[in-house]
């Protein structure tokens, strides 16, 4: 009997030894029991069935753990993974397994760990500590016990978490009421949500991450004081989205091949600095389809958009219902609209370089300041509605107009050249002063406009210096106009205008009036023009005190014919009278 017992003992020992040599340990508990933790002395695959609770300090290295249940780190619990693979064995969609670090718990993941959540939730609760470095996280899912929250991805409610240099797939990082977290150097790919989102979270640093997401790469919602810097976001619906978020720094990010670049809605005090936003809404193998903006402000005041490089979008910068923003020093090219603004006022658009767009700047807004920009090689340079100020810009080589304005716009001290039309005015009460306008087909063209003031401009080498068509009651005062191939100032069907104290020299025609009447032309200096003033089919113009040659009227052949006819009639009458007198004398 004793021998049988010994043999049975030996057999049991051999079986246990076999399992140990295979590096395989199985822990199995019934529902409601707490399984023992993994054994760190065993380097191999360890199976845990049931919920794993960490109440004390536990450290694991070089392990493979397959957990069919929840991992919960309790208050006072401290769990460290070093080169550990954890697989959450969620066998069906109905399993609500997850990883949770409760208030007072700590979880440290480092050195090539791999956590595959298989759809299980991953929740770092308020008051806990969490660090994840140099590791991988896959497929963190959802948790529905709290109906107010759907926990998709790695959800962080705590403060001062560190997520550094990880590869994360299908596990977006979500910050909720969370601050002072540090998220750096991660590669994040998400097919169903944002890459990183901040909800009611502040003072977080999100830096040098690579994000590819099906929605926005980074989303801020009611979040302030965050630093979003040097991230690469590509192939996503949008790059960075801010909603009701304030005083964030969006700095030196690169956003490629998305629809939106950066969206700001109901947000203010944000700094968008030195970002590179390009080729958004581009589809491989298809022509580029313009549809979305590089930067979009909607109902967002007091933001700074400075030194960004924006190209290949529908709108470079789109500003809707947004006031008092600073748009400074950006490079904006190859968009349909460089800058497009609607229902927005008191914005400063300063020292931007805007080129190769269909329209450089489109202003459907009032009381904005456009100063010191270089606007070149667009179809249209600037198109402005009412009451804007356009000063000290260099505008050249645009296919059609350098500047188009409607009413009550101030255009001063701009350098405008090599456009089809330097300045086109199609409105009233504009002030155009001290501009240098050259080498355009038309320097300044007024079409159907009245009560505009054109003063102290220098215009040379244009085909026509100033052209008025169907325009009345305008003042052209103290301008210098020279070397125009056709005409210095030409009025067509334009009445009651004043041309005074101008220097008009070295043109073909100095002033040309065509079907234009009741104009005042006085105190001008006309010199060395092929013809100083030409008047055709025009009447009742008051031309006086000009320094010039005599006015040359074209010969009216109809009037000459009438004069000749009258002379012939007079001669015939004289001949008849003389013959009658001769007959009377002879009869006597």
């Amino acid at each position: 009997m004793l021998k049988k017992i010994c043999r049975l003992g030996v057999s049991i020992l051999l079986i246990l030894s076999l399992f140990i040599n295979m590096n395989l340990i199985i822990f199995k508990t019934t529902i409601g029991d707490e399984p023992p933790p993994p054994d760190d002395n065993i380097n191999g695959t360890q199976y845990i069935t049931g919920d794993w609770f960490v109440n004390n300090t536990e450290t694991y290295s070089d392990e493979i753990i397959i957990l069919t249940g929840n991992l919960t780190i309790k208050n006072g619990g401290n769990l460290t993974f070093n080169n550990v693979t954890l697989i959450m064995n969620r066998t069906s969609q109905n399993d609500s397994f997850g990883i949770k670090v409760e208030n007072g718990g700590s979880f440290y993941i480092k050195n090539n760990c791999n956590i595959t959540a298989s759809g299980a939730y991953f929740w770092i609760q308020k008051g806990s500590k969490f660090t994840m470095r140099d590791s991988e996280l896959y497929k963190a899912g959802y948790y529905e016990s709290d109906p107010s929250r759907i926990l998709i991805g790695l959800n962080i409610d705590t403060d001062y978490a560190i997520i550094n240099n990880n590869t994360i797939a299908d596990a977006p990082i979500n910050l909720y009421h969370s601050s002072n977290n540090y998220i750096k150097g991660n590669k994040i790919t998400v097919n169903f949500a944002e890459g990183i989102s901040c909800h009611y979270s502040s003072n977080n640093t999100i830096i040098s991450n690579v994000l590819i997401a099906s929605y926005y790469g980074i989303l801020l919602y009611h979040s302030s004081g965050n630093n979003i810097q040097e991230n690469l976001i590509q192939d996503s619906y949008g790059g960075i989205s801010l909603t009701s978020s304030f005083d964030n720094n969006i700095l030196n990010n690169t956003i490629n091949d998305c629809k939106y670049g950066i969206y700001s809605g109901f947000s203010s005090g944000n700094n968008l600095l030195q970002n590179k936003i390009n080729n958004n809404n581009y589809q491989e193998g298809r022509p580029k389809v313009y549809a979305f903006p590089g930067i979009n402000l909607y109902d967002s005041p007091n933001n700074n958009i400075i030194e960004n490089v924006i190209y290949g979008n529908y709108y470079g910068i789109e500003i809707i219902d947004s006031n008092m923003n600073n748009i400074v020093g950006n490079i904006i090219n190859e968009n349909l609209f460089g800058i497009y603004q609607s229902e927005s006022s008191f914005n400063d658009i300063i020292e931007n370089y805007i080129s190769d767009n269909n329209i450089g700047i489109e202003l459907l807004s009032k009381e904005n300041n456009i100063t010191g920009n270089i606007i070149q090689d667009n179809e249209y340079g600037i198109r402005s509605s009412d009451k804007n100020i356009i000063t000290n810009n260099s505008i050249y080589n645009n296919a059609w107009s350098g500047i188009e304005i409607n009413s009550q716009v101030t255009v001063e001290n701009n350098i405008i050249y090599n456009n089809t039309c330097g300045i086109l005015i199609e409105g009233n009460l504009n002030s155009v002063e001290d501009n240098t306008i050259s080498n355009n087909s038309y320097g300044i063209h007024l079409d159907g406009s009245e009560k505009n003031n054109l003063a102290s401009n220098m215009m040379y080498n244009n085909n026509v210096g100033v052209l008025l068509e169907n325009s009345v009651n305008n003042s052209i005062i103290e301008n210098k106009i020279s070397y125009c191939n056709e005409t210095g100032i030409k009025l067509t069907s334009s009445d009651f205008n004043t041309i005074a104290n101008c220097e008009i020299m070295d043109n073909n025609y100095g002033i040309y009036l065509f079907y234009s009447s009741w104009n005042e032309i006085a105190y001008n200096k006309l010199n060395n023009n092929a013809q100083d003033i030409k008047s055709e089919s025009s009447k009742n113009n008051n031309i006086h005190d000009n320094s010039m040659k005599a006015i040359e009227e074209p010969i009216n052949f109809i009037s000459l014919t009438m004069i000749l006819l009258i002379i012939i009639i007079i001669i015939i009458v004289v001949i008849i009278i003389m013959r009658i007198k001769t007959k009377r004398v002879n009869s006597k």
Side-chain angles (χ1 to χ4, degrees):
M1 182 68 180
L2 181 61
K3 289 183 179 180
K4 289 183 179 181
I5 293 173
C6 291
R7 287 176 183 174
L8 180 60
V10 170
S11 299
I12 292 170
L13 289 174
L14 287 174
I15 292 171
L16 289 175
S17 175
L18 178 63
F19 274 104
I20 291 172
N21 290 332
M22 292 174 62
N23 293 324
L24 180 62
I25 297 292
I26 300 177
F27 294 106
K28 204 167 191 177
T29 62
T30 60
I31 295 174
D33 293 335
E34 182 178 336
D39 186 349
D40 192 48
N41 295 316
I42 300 174
N43 296 325
T45 301
Q46 304 188 54
Y47 290 81
I48 301 177
T49 300
D51 294 337
W52 175 13
F53 295 96
V54 178
N55 295 290
N56 300 301
T57 298
E58 299 181 18
T59 300
Y60 300 95
S61 300
D62 306 315
E63 304 288 350
I64 299 174
I65 302 169
I66 299 175
L67 174 61
T68 305
N70 298 292
L71 169 58
T72 303
I73 303 169
K74 307 291 286 185
N75 183 12
N78 186 318
L79 177 62
T80 299
F81 281 175
N82 184 6
N83 190 30
V84 169
T85 295
L86 172 65
I87 299 173
M88 301 296 292
N89 187 27
R90 185 169 175 262
T91 57
S92 74
Q93 294 295 322
N94 296 321
D95 292 339
S96 59
F97 295 160
I99 301 169
K100 180 166 61 175
V101 186
E102 294 183 350
N103 180 17
S106 302
F107 192 9
Y108 302 101
I109 304 168
K110 59 184 181 179
N111 296 334
N112 300 312
C113 289
N114 184 313
I115 297 178
T116 300
S118 303
Y121 66 85
F122 200 158
W123 189 2
I124 314 299
Q125 293 186 340
K126 200 71 174 177
S128 63
K129 296 180 180 180
F130 179 74
T131 297
M132 181 175 178
R133 296 181 185 272
D134 304 309
S135 297
E136 299 178 6
L137 172 63
Y138 299 102
K139 298 182 179 180
Y142 63 90
Y143 176 67
E144 294 180 332
S145 67
D146 181 354
S148 67
R149 290 273 299 269
I150 297 177
L151 299 183
I152 300 175
L154 173 56
N155 296 274
I156 298 176
D157 294 356
T158 195
D159 304 325
Y160 297 100
I162 298 173
I163 304 172
N164 182 216
N165 197 34
N166 302 286
T167 297
I168 300 173
D170 288 337
I173 299 173
N174 304 309
L175 307 182
Y176 292 90
H177 297 277
S178 181
S179 63
N180 296 296
N181 298 286
Y182 186 77
I183 303 173
K184 180 181 179 181
N186 303 283
K187 183 177 181 181
I188 302 171
T189 304
V190 179
N191 291 322
F192 53 85
E194 294 84 12
I196 300 172
S197 66
C198 300
H199 300 258
Y200 303 95
S201 298
S202 61
N203 300 315
N204 298 287
T205 298
I206 301 173
I207 183 170
S208 300
N209 301 283
V210 177
L211 300 111
I212 300 173
S214 60
Y215 204 51
Y216 285 101
I218 299 172
L219 181 144
L220 304 183
Y221 182 77
H222 288 272
S223 296
S224 302
N226 298 286
N227 182 32
I228 313 299
Q229 183 176 346
E230 296 177 4
N231 299 283
L232 171 61
I233 305 170
Q234 60 189 20
D235 298 317
S236 304
Y237 177 81
I240 299 172
S241 173
L242 296 86
T243 301
S244 300
S245 297
F246 310 98
D247 302 318
N248 298 284
N249 292 316
I250 313 298
L251 173 64
N252 200 24
N253 301 282
T254 299
I255 303 172
N256 298 328
D257 298 327
C258 301
K259 288 186 176 180
Y260 280 93
I262 299 175
Y263 168 78
S264 172
F266 312 102
S267 301
S268 64
N270 297 293
N271 297 309
L272 281 59
L273 311 177
Q274 298 176 348
N275 300 285
K276 185 177 180 181
I277 305 169
N278 64 86
N279 290 336
N280 292 294
N281 203 40
Y282 174 75
Q283 297 182 13
E284 185 69 32
R286 298 182 182 179
K288 189 180 298 181
V289 179
Y290 297 112
F292 293 93
I295 295 176
N296 172 238
L297 302 184
Y298 180 78
D299 200 0
S300 295
N302 293 303
N303 298 284
N304 296 311
I305 302 176
I306 299 175
E307 295 181 1
N308 301 280
V309 177
I310 306 168
Y311 63 91
N313 309 282
Y314 186 88
Y315 301 105
I317 299 174
E318 182 185 29
I319 305 169
I320 308 294
D321 292 322
S322 300
N323 304 324
M324 295 180 288
N325 295 285
N326 296 312
I327 317 298
V328 181
N330 301 282
I331 297 174
I332 305 169
N333 54 40
E334 296 183 13
N335 307 282
L336 187 63
F337 294 87
I339 298 175
Y340 177 87
Q341 182 171 299
S342 176
E343 301 298 330
S344 303
S345 300
F346 306 109
N347 295 295
D348 288 328
I349 300 174
I350 299 174
E351 295 181 358
N352 301 282
Y353 178 77
I354 302 171
S355 69
D356 296 293
N357 306 281
N358 187 25
I359 299 172
I361 300 176
E362 176 90 9
L363 300 175
L364 303 178
S365 307
K366 299 178 180 179
E367 299 179 292
N368 298 282
N369 179 35
I370 298 89
T371 300
N373 302 281
I374 296 174
I375 303 170
Q376 70 170 91
D377 296 312
N378 306 282
E379 293 293 311
Y380 301 89
I382 299 174
R383 301 204 308 194
S384 171
S385 58
D386 301 345
K387 297 183 180 180
N388 294 297
I389 298 173
I390 302 171
T391 61
N392 295 296
N393 301 282
S394 294
I395 303 170
Y396 56 92
N397 293 343
N398 299 287
W400 296 103
S401 56
I403 299 174
E404 291 185 13
I405 59 177
N406 193 350
S407 295
Q408 296 179 271
V409 177
T410 298
V411 181
E412 293 182 355
N413 294 302
N414 299 283
I415 298 173
I416 305 169
Y417 61 93
N418 286 348
N419 310 281
T420 298
C421 181
I423 301 174
L424 174 61
I425 301 173
E426 296 179 303
N428 309 321
L429 299 168
N430 297 286
S431 175
V432 180
E433 298 186 14
D434 297 306
N435 300 283
T436 300
I437 305 169
S438 65
N439 297 98
N440 306 282
S441 295
Y442 302 97
I444 301 175
H445 180 191
L446 281 72
D447 188 3
S449 303
E450 61 180 85
K451 298 181 180 180
N452 297 285
N453 181 41
L454 281 57
S456 302
N457 300 286
M458 178 178 290
M459 289 170 271
Y460 60 91
N461 288 340
N462 302 288
N463 192 38
V464 177
V466 179
L467 172 63
L468 276 66
E469 291 185 304
N470 304 301
S471 297
V472 298
N473 290 313
N474 298 285
S475 297
I476 304 172
I477 309 294
E478 296 182 355
N479 299 281
K480 294 182 178 180
I481 305 172
S482 60
Y483 299 104
C484 294
N485 296 325
E486 183 184 320
T487 307
I489 300 174
K490 183 176 182 179
L491 279 66
T492 299
S493 301
S494 298
D495 305 329
F496 300 103
N497 298 286
T498 297
I499 302 172
N501 295 304
C502 295
E503 292 185 14
I504 306 171
M505 299 178 290
D506 298 298
N507 307 286
N508 186 24
Y509 295 108
I511 300 173
Y512 186 178
L513 305 174
F514 182 73
Y515 284 97
S516 299
S517 303
W518 306 102
N519 295 287
E520 178 87 5
I521 301 173
Y523 304 106
N524 299 287
K525 182 178 180 180
L526 295 102
N527 184 33
N528 205 32
N529 302 291
Q531 186 172 336
D532 287 332
I533 298 178
K534 179 176 180 179
S535 177
E536 184 174 350
S537 302
S538 303
K539 61 184 180 180
N540 298 318
N541 292 292
N542 187 13
I543 302 173
H544 63 90
D545 294 298
N546 299 286
S547 172
M548 63 173 186
K549 300 176 184 177
I551 301 173
E552 300 183 32
E553 290 277 3
I555 297 173
N556 191 322
F557 291 101
I558 295 176
S559 299
L560 180 59
T561 301
M562 293 298 294
I563 292 170
L564 291 174
L565 182 59
I566 290 169
I567 292 171
I568 291 170
I569 291 172
I570 291 171
I571 292 172
I572 293 172
V573 170
V574 170
I575 292 172
I576 292 172
I577 292 171
M578 290 180 64
R579 285 184 178 179
I580 292 171
K581 287 183 178 180
T582 302
K583 286 182 180 180
R584 288 178 180 176
V585 171
N586 292 334
S587 63
K588 292 179 179 179

